[in-house]
Amino acid sequence: MVSRRGFLHWISAFSISDLVGIDAKALPSKAPSEVPQEQPNGAPAGRPQLECGNSLVRVRISGSSSDFWSLENRASGQIYRFGCPVFPLGGKAVPATLENVRAGSAPERLKNGVTECSFEGALVARPSLSLRMTFRIAPDNAVVRFRYSLENHGAEAIAFEQADGPLTYLSTSLASMSRVKEIRLSDFNSMLHSDTVSEFDIPQRWFAGRLDVAGPILIGEGEDKEALLLAYEHGSQMPDTFLRFDLQPDRAVKLVAVKGNYLPGQAFKVFDTVWMEAAVSRAAGVASQFRAFVRKYMEVDGESRRPYLFYNTWNFQERNKWWNGKGYLTSYNQERMLQEIDIAHRLALEIFVMDTGWHGKTGDWEVDRQRFPDGLKAVKARLDQHGMKLGLWFNPTMAAVSSKILAAHRSCISSWKGKLAEPGDVWGSEVSYPMCLVSEYSDAYADTVIRLARETGARYFVWDAVAQYGCDSPDHWHGTSANSEEDRSNSYAFQLPLQMVRIVEKVKRAYPDVIFDFDITETGRAVGLSFLSAGRYFLINNGPYLVNYDLPHFSETESDNIFFYPGTARTWICRRPLTYDKWIPANLLLTHYFPDDPASSQLVNMASLILGQNGIWGDLPKISEAGVQWIGEVMGRYKQVRQDVAESDPIRTGDVAGVYEVHEKISNGSNRGVVVLFSPTNGRIVYMTEHTPNQSFWATPGTKVSFDRQGHAVLESDMASGAAIGFFGVE
Ligand SMILES: [Zn+2]
């Protein structure tokens, strides 16, 4: 409970002026002795509660410039102070120092157990403006999620306008930190043709040189092995960023806007910042805390976090074109889908995703009645019979030239440099106009998805081909004719990932059990933390193309894909980005593996899948009966421990594709999970687990499992088949 009463009373006892102008280099510090002792009920005596927290961390609100709010590690007593945001308003840098800070509405408990509390006060510099600070704190996690909202209550219009400094969201000092690390989530790697995660140590000379880093995660570690984590929720690919961390010689850091974060000269009533994160934890446990936060608390509804097993029709569509000499949509019909569903069920898969081809006109997104005369009723009935769910593919930015939605929203066609975008082909359906999602079209599209969820029963949706840039129209929500084309384009690109989140949240209000994946298999897509607050990513398609490896095209009938074949090689490409799993659970980064014969390919592909990426695609009716049975059995065992695997921090020994590559995914809580060994060469390999797993195990043939006196598992395999699996805690 947070009291609304008497902040001034508290100030008189603990003067706000004492907190202004704290020497940044002195931070962090132990809790000041003035802080009253806690009462048995957890409430500090003698002053109202301008704070919130859990057993790990406590947030205290002050509203002053350098101690705007603070974060305390309750285990160590260390306190980290954050500076106030600074807004460029009317050409002046206006610090959001607050007076009369009070608690906002009563704390609210969200569906995922997170408590939301808010505080607000008027800006000292502009009393007609108020700032609301919203904090979301989980019951058992050290990550605090927060955002600010700046509101104009006055009659006078107030607009953002370039000032001396950039819009500053957050500032703090890392002076006491001996090591500072940047974690980047969107380094597109051409060798893999995939986004990858990168970690960099930031040397002091970068601070001295006033350089900047993108993040979105920045971690400072002290000599005392305590870590402070800062992060922000947006999306883009390196090096094109919209926010960044500015470094200063005294090891102060500021999270600032780069471009597109606001529209110069445009008056606002409410300006919401992006969501941000701050956490304090033991340095050794900070990645684990953040990963658990992403898995359990960043998103409210929870369905997207369940480690379901997926099938997608796209790979067969590609094979049909490149291997069978047919079209992408030639075999896309009810009979084939029912056949695939029955096999997918035997493979123990749960969400059956129909890629491009299920629909008629884009925009209206009606089911194609030529391919599916009953409008997917038979498909849905067959899925229901097997307890499976229906998923559908979209390009949400396209509307067919004769669609009803286009007729109703012609003003939302994307435009570029004064010209409307040209209509284009969308996988063989009617030519379609690119539509702007940073316009009222976003609501029309969300309503369309809600209608489809109702009509078809679909609960999973994948978004393809959504590029970060694409519209600079003066008639939408990203600027007017008073702004430059560049400002309008940047505002579109900045808002796009946030609008995508808004669309998902709107659909979830109607159907809380929907899952959205955003396909980021190509460059130029908005990759970062923001979409993860609502949905997940579809990470890899086929990996690299011929052009990525400077390989020529030998014939017209040859696919551009290199890693398009069953066997071992493609699994190297797909497993490499499992490095994300340290920060973002692998089951939020859908990647499909091949179920094709021979058995050795099935083993190495399924051994990879069970590390969490959870997708299968391929030509299901071509799999041998023995292969279907074997995959079904392995997936059945995986399902017994998949929640444990999803919970597990990853432990990897050796390089992907090297002669000794071992993945240990055992849950700290349950001691259940999986260990997988890979090696491309025959020969005995031994691994001893870090955990002491549950001893009810199952292992692939040729793999011996024993336990030492402490209970560590020892896996020993001849590696005759390229991979070995050990499940722990299975029947
Ligand atoms: Zn637009």
Side-chain angles (χ1 to χ4, degrees), residues 411-415 435-439 470-478 488 492:
S411 63
C412 301
I413 296 174
S414 295
S415 73
M435 305 299 285
C436 178
L437 289 179
V438 188
S439 76
C471 187
D472 66 6
S473 165
D475 302 323
H476 302 155
W477 297 347
H478 46 92
R488 294 197 299 259
Y492 171 88

Side-chain angles (χ1 to χ4, degrees), residues 335-633:
E335 187 189 356
R336 168 90 195 184
M337 290 302 152
L338 295 177
Q339 190 185 14
E340 290 190 15
I341 289 168
D342 287 342
I343 301 165
H345 168 60
R346 293 188 62 207
L347 300 177
L349 308 183
E350 297 160 303
I351 300 187
F352 186 89
V353 182
M354 298 174 68
D355 210 278
T356 185
W358 62 269
H359 52 86
K361 294 170 188 173
T362 62
D364 289 346
W365 298 109
E366 306 277 1
V367 176
D368 181 339
R369 295 277 172 163
Q370 283 184 330
R371 299 180 194 284
F372 303 96
D374 68 358
L376 294 178
K377 281 195 174 58
V379 165
K380 181 65 168 59
R382 188 67 62 88
L383 290 169
D384 287 346
Q385 192 184 318
H386 296 316
M388 296 168 71
K389 293 174 189 246
L390 174 63
L392 298 174
W393 171 98
F394 289 97
N395 178 337
T397 66
M398 286 295 198
V401 291
S402 69
S403 63
K404 294 191 282 285
I405 201 168
L406 179 71
H409 298 279
R410 283 199 77 86
S411 63
C412 301
I413 296 174
S414 295
S415 73
W416 192 251
K417 309 254 179 255
K419 278 182 66 182
L420 278 193
E422 295 286 332
D425 176 63
V426 186
W427 301 111
S429 67
E430 184 182 303
V431 290
S432 305
Y433 276 106
M435 305 299 285
C436 178
L437 289 179
V438 188
S439 76
E440 64 180 27
Y441 188 76
S442 52
D443 283 299
Y445 172 73
D447 292 341
T448 303
V449 179
I450 291 168
R451 188 206 80 219
L452 268 163
R454 185 176 63 242
E455 287 178 1
T456 66
R459 288 293 181 271
Y460 168 93
F461 305 99
V462 55
W463 285 346
D464 190 9
V466 183
Q468 181 122 37
Y469 293 88
C471 187
D472 66 6
S473 165
D475 302 323
H476 302 155
W477 297 347
H478 46 92
T480 69
S481 53
N483 299 109
S484 69
E485 283 174 341
E486 188 185 8
D487 280 344
R488 294 197 299 259
S489 170
N490 286 338
S491 176
Y492 171 88
F494 171 78
Q495 290 188 64
L496 180 76
L498 310 176
Q499 286 296 331
M500 291 168 76
V501 168
R502 198 182 67 84
I503 293 168
V504 173
E505 288 177 344
K506 182 170 182 178
V507 177
K508 280 187 186 174
R509 281 196 291 279
Y511 293 99
D513 60 340
V514 295
I515 300 170
F516 281 81
D517 267 336
F518 173 22
D519 179 317
I520 54 168
T521 61
E522 302 299 331
T523 53
R525 298 189 183 173
V527 182
L529 291 171
S530 72
F531 196 74
L532 290 171
S533 71
R536 332 178 318 157
Y537 289 119
F538 180 130
L539 185 67
I540 294 180
N541 183 11
N542 292 306
Y545 299 106
L546 293 168
V547 65
N548 293 114
Y549 281 63
D550 301 326
L551 290 167
H553 244 116
F554 294 107
S555 82
E556 284 290 300
T557 56
E558 186 187 12
S559 159
D560 290 331
N561 299 313
I562 304 174
F563 294 95
F564 190 49
Y565 299 85
T568 306
R570 185 171 172 278
T571 72
W572 302 336
I573 302 294
C574 296
R575 286 201 304 278
R576 186 67 189 276
L578 282 170
T579 41
Y580 273 115
D581 199 27
K582 179 177 173 185
W583 304 97
I584 297 166
N587 63 297
L588 303 184
L589 299 161
L590 177 64
T591 301
H592 297 85
Y593 288 92
F594 285 145
D596 306 82
D597 297 87
S600 59
S601 181
Q602 287 159 346
L603 172 61
V604 78
N605 274 272
M606 296 308 114
S608 303
L609 177 151
I610 61 177
L611 296 171
Q613 291 159 312
N614 286 2
I616 283 181
W617 62 13
D619 191 350
L620 299 191
K622 286 258 177 74
I623 310 171
S624 66
E625 176 60 25
V628 170
Q629 277 192 27
W630 184 83
I631 292 171
E633 284 168 21

